[in-house]
């Protein structure tokens, strides 16, 4: 059943709002994916904090106008879907990992703001540590010096106590 003009306008508005709030938009071809595979991909995208939307290319092009992603219109050919997220690393990892196990999902490209991305750039993003991994490393780096300082501060007190204990044992 074809979409009504009202439904098309609502879809365009929804996709436009999603693109305006996103930091990255990635375009993939999803030709031949089963319903189960699409469901699995969507759940992985949600887990990564991303949105995954299959739309008609003509409607997606109209939705991309007046956003920083107007430059992705040339990539919207064939059976495409758009993955959007604030975190560029998480969405890239999710798509690259899924594409490794399913050859029917092909990453076409995307945009990070106004910067166009090719497949190699998306794969490079996927290899970067995620925001949570970076936070954990920073906390670890901050925590380590505090632990060392505590050990250094305790060491002289322990040495003094050992000297006093040895002196007391010697004098008996």
């Amino acid at each position: 059943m074809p979409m009504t003009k009202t439904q098309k306008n609502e879809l365009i508005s929804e996709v436009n709002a999603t693109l305006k709030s996103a930091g990255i938009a990635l375009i993939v071809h999803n030709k031949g994916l089963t319903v189960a595979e699409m469901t699995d991909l969507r759940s992985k995208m949600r887990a990564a904090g991303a949105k995954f939307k299959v739309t008609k290319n003509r409607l997606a092009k109209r939705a991309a106008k007046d956003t920083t992603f107007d430059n992705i219109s040339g990539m919207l050919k064939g059976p495409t879907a758009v993955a959007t997220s604030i975190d560029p690393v998480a969405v890239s990892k999710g798509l690259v990992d899924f594409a490794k196990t399913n050859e029917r999902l092909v990453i076409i490209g995307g945009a990070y703001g106004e910067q166009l991305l090719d497949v190699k750039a998306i794969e490079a993003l996927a290899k970067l540590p995620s925001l949570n991994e970076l936070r954990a490393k920073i906390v670890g780096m901050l925590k380590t010096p505090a632990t060392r300082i505590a050990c250094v501060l305790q060491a002289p007190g322990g040495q003094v106590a050992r000297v006093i204990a040895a002196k007391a044992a010697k004098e008996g």
Side-chain angles (χ1 to χ4, degrees):
M1 182 172 172
M3 293 176 76
T4 66
K5 188 172 184 173
T6 305
Q7 290 172 324
K8 288 179 184 179
N9 287 334
E10 287 174 2
L11 179 64
I12 290 168
S13 295
E14 177 189 335
V15 174
N16 181 272
T18 300
L19 288 172
K20 283 184 177 179
S21 66
I24 190 167
L26 302 178
I27 311 300
V28 297
H29 276 181
N30 56 332
K31 189 175 187 177
L33 290 177
T34 65
V35 173
E37 291 167 336
M38 284 297 282
T39 302
D40 184 37
L41 177 58
R42 282 191 170 102
S43 68
K44 286 182 180 182
M45 291 290 96
R46 269 191 303 277
K51 293 182 179 180
F52 187 79
K53 188 79 171 166
V54 177
T55 61
K56 291 184 180 255
N57 293 332
R58 189 173 41 81
L59 299 178
K61 288 176 185 178
R62 287 178 52 195
K65 287 185 180 178
D66 302 324
T67 70
T68 56
F69 301 109
D70 192 22
N71 52 2
I72 63 171
S73 295
M75 296 179 202
L76 296 169
K77 295 176 182 157
T80 58
V82 180
T84 57
S85 179
I86 294 171
D87 182 5
V89 175
V91 69
S92 299
K93 278 183 195 260
L95 285 177
V96 169
D97 289 346
F98 191 85
K100 283 180 184 175
T101 60
N102 194 322
E103 70 275 352
R104 289 178 289 207
L105 182 79
V106 180
I107 299 171
I108 302 301
Y112 182 59
E114 294 180 1
Q115 177 69 41
L116 285 176
L117 302 172
D118 61 2
V119 177
K120 290 190 187 300
I122 295 167
E123 289 172 348
L125 275 173
K127 291 177 184 173
L128 293 174
S130 71
L131 191 56
N132 287 338
E133 291 170 344
L134 288 174
R135 285 179 182 151
K137 285 181 181 180
I138 290 171
V139 168
M141 288 170 41
L142 293 174
K143 190 176 179 183
T144 300
T147 306
R148 288 184 184 157
I149 289 170
C151 289
V152 168
L153 291 175
Q154 290 175 352
Q159 289 174 348
V160 170
R162 282 190 291 276
V163 169
I164 292 172
K167 181 90 168 158
K170 185 177 180 183
E171 291 181 8

